Amino acid sequence: MSYSPADSLRTVTLDDVRGAQKMLSGVARATAMEGSRHLSQLVGAPVHLKCENLQRTGSFKLRGAYVRIAGLLPEERAAGVVAASAGNHAQGVALASTLLGVSSTVFMPQGAPLPKISATREYGAQVRLHGQVVDETLAAAQEYAADTGAVFIHPFDHPDVIAGQGTVGLEILEQCPEVRTIVVGIGGGGLAAGIAVAVKALRPDVRIVGVQAAGAAAYPASLAAGRPVSIGNPTTMADGIKVGRPGDVPFGIVGELVDEVRTVSEGELSTALLLCLERAKLVVEPAGASPVAALLSDPGAFEGPVVAVLSGGNVDPVLMERVLRHGMAAQGRYLAVRLRLTDRPGALATMLGALSAIDANVLDVGHVRTDPRLGLTEAEVELHLETKGPAHCAEVGRALREAGYTVID
């Protein structure tokens, strides 16, 4: 069905979600539920990971996009659909449209990662690059819809989309019927709202906790105000939940059915992504790792069994490299240090030998000799080191000072 202002008042029900589940049979995967020994030990109760990062297109977005497009009238399908997205929603709309035989145009920011642009095209959409930020891209897509009659497919602010995302909640109850807490990332709110509708209807005792990045946390202010509130310039590496204003439709559901919304820092997101990769052997994007970040930041706050929803795994390799380094630094396993030494032959080799003796792995070396702050016989060296944790970092600093080097904090 097409969207109208009345849809913002339409309630999403358990029957809607069950209908979406039937519609998605053979289209979306019932993704795996993996146990996490490390997180279970930390929380003191079983923790399971709902792996939507292994969904077709790499995220949960296919579910809502397919249900929304499948519900269009024949004349609306004939006009095609249009969407705006930096990644996951773009791919979900592209594949859903192709499966349903509907033409799709997806507007993406000019700085969108190349792998996401390529994947969206391969799933069958015509990609148009416009704008530097998603708001500009969104405006272009809406203008295109007005000019051509194509149906705009919103990433979260529509009842059909929420019903589709709610099928994740039904799967959680089927796979882990003893669940007591579900932790899920929140951007616009479509996934959290859908899960809440399904789960609370069947298991009102289950606690649902939403997680936002601290730099893009529109929900706490909106819930306090009792209406969706825009925040200026949301900033986070987690582009999947980087939304400046809650959707009208999901906001009402989240306010009624989600028990708590927490925030996590960029460092906690990096650490969580690293943990998913190292311990669970799962590639997860920062937004998908947000529930794990919440568990790591306050493990005693969650009654188990806990299900953490890994909402997506579409992470740009360049971002992955930066995030992993950030996560290693947050864990004390990556150390950047500057020091001064006497500028003479063999001095650098001697210093590197001292680091080797304490098992510090040198990743990068920067050597500066021409700086007015340096003495005539001095050189400054910046080292990037891989270490074994905070205690080893302290040992490295102590060993360098004891060897006579001036360490610059």
Side-chain angles (χ1 to χ4, degrees):
M1 63 183 64
S2 60
Y3 181 77
S4 70
D7 280 319
S8 65
L9 303 176
R10 194 177 115 206
T11 301
V12 182
T13 68
L14 176 61
D15 285 343
D16 293 328
V17 180
R18 283 176 166 161
Q21 188 176 45
K22 291 179 181 178
M23 189 179 295
L24 288 168
S25 177
V27 175
R29 296 174 181 143
T31 50
M33 183 86 76
E34 298 287 344
S36 172
R37 181 187 303 175
H38 178 78
L39 289 173
S40 297
Q41 291 175 342
L42 192 66
V43 172
V47 175
H48 305 280
L49 306 175
K50 176 61 172 166
C51 300
E52 281 296 290
N53 59 310
L54 302 180
Q55 184 57 262
R56 295 179 71 177
T57 74
S59 89
F60 71 96
K61 290 288 190 177
L62 172 65
R63 298 174 184 261
Y66 188 91
V67 173
R68 172 75 174 102
I69 298 169
L72 295 178
L73 300 172
E75 58 269 27
E76 292 174 321
R77 290 195 186 198
V81 300
V82 61
S85 168
N88 289 346
H89 180 58
Q91 294 173 66
V93 168
L95 179 57
S97 299
T98 297
L99 293 174
L100 290 163
V102 177
S103 65
S104 62
T105 301
V106 176
F107 285 77
M108 304 182 75
Q110 291 179 355
L114 291 177
K116 294 184 178 182
I117 295 173
S118 298
T120 303
R121 285 183 172 136
E122 288 172 8
Y123 286 128
Q126 179 185 11
V127 174
R128 298 193 179 192
L129 302 180
H130 184 92
Q132 299 299 323
V133 297
V134 174
D135 286 345
E136 296 173 353
T137 308
L138 179 63
Q142 291 173 326
E143 182 179 351
Y144 177 89
D147 291 342
T148 65
V151 179
F152 179 68
I153 306 299
H154 200 284
F156 50 80
D157 205 7
H158 193 281
D160 292 347
V161 172
I162 293 171
Q165 320 305 27
T167 59
V168 175
L170 293 181
E171 289 178 19
I172 289 173
L173 294 183
E174 293 165 2
Q175 295 169 317
C176 185
E178 69 279 13
V179 62
R180 296 292 300 166
T181 306
I182 296 174
V183 190
V184 55
I186 296 185
L191 177 61
I195 289 175
V197 166
V199 172
K200 289 292 189 177
L202 296 169
R203 286 281 308 281
D205 59 304
V206 173
R207 183 172 179 79
I208 299 178
V209 179
V211 183
Q212 292 207 288
Y219 263 91
S222 297
L223 292 170
R227 58 182 175 80
V229 173
S230 297
I231 60 170
N233 191 30
T235 304
T236 176
M237 71 178 78
D239 58 353
I241 53 175
K242 186 180 177 182
V243 177
R245 182 186 183 279
D248 292 329
V249 183
F251 175 77
I253 298 171
V254 170
E256 180 183 355
L257 299 179
V258 172
D259 296 283
E260 179 185 7
V261 176
R262 291 174 166 252
T263 62
V264 292
S265 69
E266 298 299 283
E268 289 163 344
L269 286 168
S270 297
T271 300
L273 188 149
L274 183 61
L275 183 143
C276 289
L277 186 63
E278 287 190 327
R279 297 299 184 96
K281 315 306 178 191
L282 292 168
V283 176
V284 181
E285 62 191 83
S290 60
V292 174
L295 294 178
L296 293 175
S297 67
D298 191 6
F302 302 91
E303 180 184 0
V306 178
V307 173
V309 181
L310 308 182
S311 58
N314 291 318
V315 57
D316 178 40
V318 176
L319 175 62
M320 172 70 89
E321 181 181 8
R322 294 203 305 266
V323 170
L324 290 180
R325 285 183 177 267
H326 195 270
M328 290 177 67
Q331 287 189 338
R333 294 168 51 194
Y334 180 80
L335 177 65
V337 60
R338 289 188 302 134
L339 52 87
R340 289 181 183 174
L341 69 164
T342 303
D343 189 14
R344 55 180 174 75
L348 182 59
T350 301
M351 181 201 63
L352 295 177
L355 291 170
S356 177
I358 54 174
D359 206 21
N361 183 33
V362 179
L363 301 175
D364 191 28
V365 179
H367 203 181
V368 178
R369 290 187 176 90
T370 55
D371 191 304
R373 297 172 301 169
L374 298 174
L376 185 62
T377 61
E378 287 183 323
E380 185 173 291
V381 175
E382 181 174 352
L383 301 167
H384 292 182
L385 308 172
E386 182 181 2
T387 58
K388 300 175 182 178
H392 193 206
C393 287
E395 181 185 355
V396 169
R398 185 168 54 252
L400 288 171
R401 289 183 177 92
E402 289 175 353
Y405 298 106
T406 301
V407 179
I408 304 168
D409 295 327

